[in-house]
Amino acid sequence: PVAVVGLGCGTLAAYGKAGQKMVFYEINRDVIDVAGDPLYFTYLYEAKKRGVNTEIIEGDGRLNLAKAPYNYYKLIILDAFNSDSIPTHLLTREALDLYLSKLKPEGVIAFQVTNNYYNLKPLIKALAKSRELPVLYRNDYDIAREKRRYPTEWVVMTRNQITLDRLSELGWKEIEAGKDKIRLWTDDYSNPIKLLITPFS
């Protein structure tokens, strides 16, 4: 089973396989309605036709993910950070502990961190380090320019060495250490301004 926090237009359903369960957590009712209408987007529609067991849970992703069974998901995807108003409560130490509690021991947590305003990689690296989790990232900027489409950037955490080795073979890299030390975000502290790509002058 796979968990996806942030439905968007349902693009990630395109990766679902017959018999696989994909649970999407989405807070916005309008997003759910549009993504589920094949007049606009067909990702969810086509996934169901292939035999993917898709489920959409409406409401705050973190609160609803807390209701999932422990050690349940093989993959948890956080895909809610592309706007200029990021949900900081999904990037705290307590949030990471929640994800780990719902993840199988050899599972993977993936963050889609493409953003025009914030560089979230240093924070995610700090979060991973706090729990002794290996972390890798990759972007497809070169391919995106070649194909004239929007680029994406991903960060993954996992203790699965086989997965880490395979990702490394595919060009995933370690996140470089930044100049500034990043203070971990918690449910009592966050500082998005610190992660701005272009700081205020």
Side-chain angles (χ1 to χ4, degrees), residues 4-6 24-27 57-67 78 89-90 98-99:
V4 182
V5 178
F24 293 86
Y25 297 88
E26 174 56 51
I27 196 170
I57 297 178
E58 182 180 358
D60 181 88
R62 178 173 162 182
L63 293 178
N64 282 305
L65 188 61
K67 302 173 185 176
L78 286 303
H89 71 298
L90 298 179
L98 170 67
Y99 308 149

Side-chain angles (χ1 to χ4, degrees), residues 1-50:
V2 175
V4 182
V5 178
L7 173 62
C9 60
T11 310
L12 289 172
Y15 294 95
K17 298 178 180 179
Q20 184 177 41
K21 182 167 185 177
M22 297 188 75
V23 182
F24 293 86
Y25 297 88
E26 174 56 51
I27 196 170
N28 190 323
R29 181 70 238 178
D30 291 335
V31 169
I32 295 173
D33 291 341
V34 171
D37 189 339
L39 179 65
Y40 301 109
F41 298 102
T42 61
Y43 300 110
L44 290 171
Y45 174 77
E46 294 292 341
K48 290 176 182 177
K49 281 178 60 178
R50 290 195 310 276

Side-chain angles (χ1 to χ4, degrees), residues 22 108 110 187:
M22 297 188 75
V108 177
D187 287 350

Side-chain angles (χ1 to χ4, degrees), residues 146-160:
E146 179 183 325
K147 295 186 177 293
R148 297 182 180 180
R149 63 165 173 78
Y150 288 112
T152 59
E153 190 164 33
W154 289 82
V155 177
V156 298
M157 302 177 187
T158 181
R159 291 192 174 94
N160 188 326

Side-chain angles (χ1 to χ4, degrees), residues 63-75:
L63 293 178
N64 282 305
L65 188 61
K67 302 173 185 176
Y70 291 103
N71 301 320
Y72 180 65
Y73 289 113
K74 188 68 178 287
L75 172 64

Side-chain angles (χ1 to χ4, degrees), residues 2 6 8 28 30 51 61 94 97 126-127 132 138 144 159 168 173:
V2 175
N28 190 323
D30 291 335
E94 293 85 352
D97 288 343
L127 287 168
E132 299 181 346
R138 184 177 182 183
R159 291 192 174 94
S168 296
K173 301 176 181 178

